[in-house]
C-alpha cells in the first residue's frame, strides 16, 4: 500500500521530519538541560500534531499509522550520532549539519514509505 502524496500529507511529513532535524541539531550542540527539554518537547508536539491530523487512533487499519520500523531506525541512528558528537569541538558545525541531514533523510523516507490515513479521502491508499 502506498499513500498518495497530497499537500496535507506532505506538510504533515515535513513538519515531523523538521522536528526530528531540530531536535538532533539541538542535542548535538546545546548544553545541558536543553537536549532533554527539546527531546521532551518533540515527543509532546509530535503526539499533539499526530492527534490533530487524526493519525493516532485505533481506527486506522487496526494499528497506529506509521512508516514502519525504518523511521525509528533513522531517528535512532541520527540521535546516536548527535549524542556521540556532543561535546566535541566539531559539534558547533557538525551538529546543525547533522540536523539538516536528519531532516532530509527522514522527509525522503516518509515521502517514499510513510502512511497517512484519512477518512475524508484527502490521501487515498492505492496498490503498488
Amino acid at each position: 500500500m502506498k499513500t498518495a502524496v497530497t499537500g496535507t500529507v506532505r506538510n504533515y511529513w515535513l513538519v515531523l521530519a523538521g522536528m526530528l532535524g531540530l531536535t538532533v541539531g539541538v542535542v548535538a550542540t546545546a548544553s545541558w538541560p536543553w537536549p532533554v527539554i527539546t527531546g521532551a518537547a518533540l515527543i509532546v508536539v509530535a503526539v499533539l500534531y499526530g492527534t490533530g491530523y487524526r493519525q493516532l487512533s485505533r481506527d486506522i487499519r487496526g494499528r497506529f499509522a506509521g512508516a514502519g520500523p525504518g523511521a525509528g531506525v533513522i531517528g535512532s541512528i541520527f540521535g546516536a550520532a548527535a549524542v556521540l558528537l556532543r561535546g566535541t569541538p566539531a559539534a558547533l558545525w557538525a551538529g546543525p549539519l547533522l540536523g539538516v541531514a536528519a531532516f532530509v533523510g527522514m522527509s525522503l523516507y516518509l515521502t517514499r514509505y510513510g502512511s497517512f490515513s484519512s477518512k475524508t479521502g484527502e490521501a487515498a491508499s492505492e496498490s503498488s
Side-chain angles (χ1 to χ4, degrees):
M1 302 267 293
K2 184 176 172 159
T3 302
V5 179
T6 63
T8 301
V9 175
R10 186 176 296 111
N11 290 342
Y12 177 74
W13 289 335
L14 283 175
V15 169
L16 289 178
M19 286 190 295
L20 173 69
L22 177 66
T23 302
V24 165
V26 168
V27 166
T29 58
S31 61
W32 187 259
W34 289 108
V36 174
I37 293 169
T38 306
L42 168 76
I43 293 169
V44 169
V45 170
V47 167
L48 293 175
Y49 190 67
T51 303
Y53 274 90
R54 300 177 193 258
Q55 299 303 301
L56 298 176
S57 69
R58 288 283 181 189
D59 298 336
I60 304 169
R61 296 188 299 268
R63 59 180 176 80
F64 288 121
V73 170
I74 291 173
S76 298
I77 289 171
F78 282 111
V83 169
L84 292 174
L85 187 63
R86 196 174 145 69
T88 64
L92 290 178
W93 63 267
L97 187 64
L98 187 64
V100 169
F103 167 72
V104 170
M106 185 61 80
S107 63
L108 290 174
Y109 180 84
L110 288 174
T111 301
R112 175 82 171 114
Y113 298 108
S115 65
F116 189 91
S117 178
S118 175
K119 292 186 178 186
T120 62
E122 175 70 28
S125 293
E126 59 187 37
S127 297
S128 323

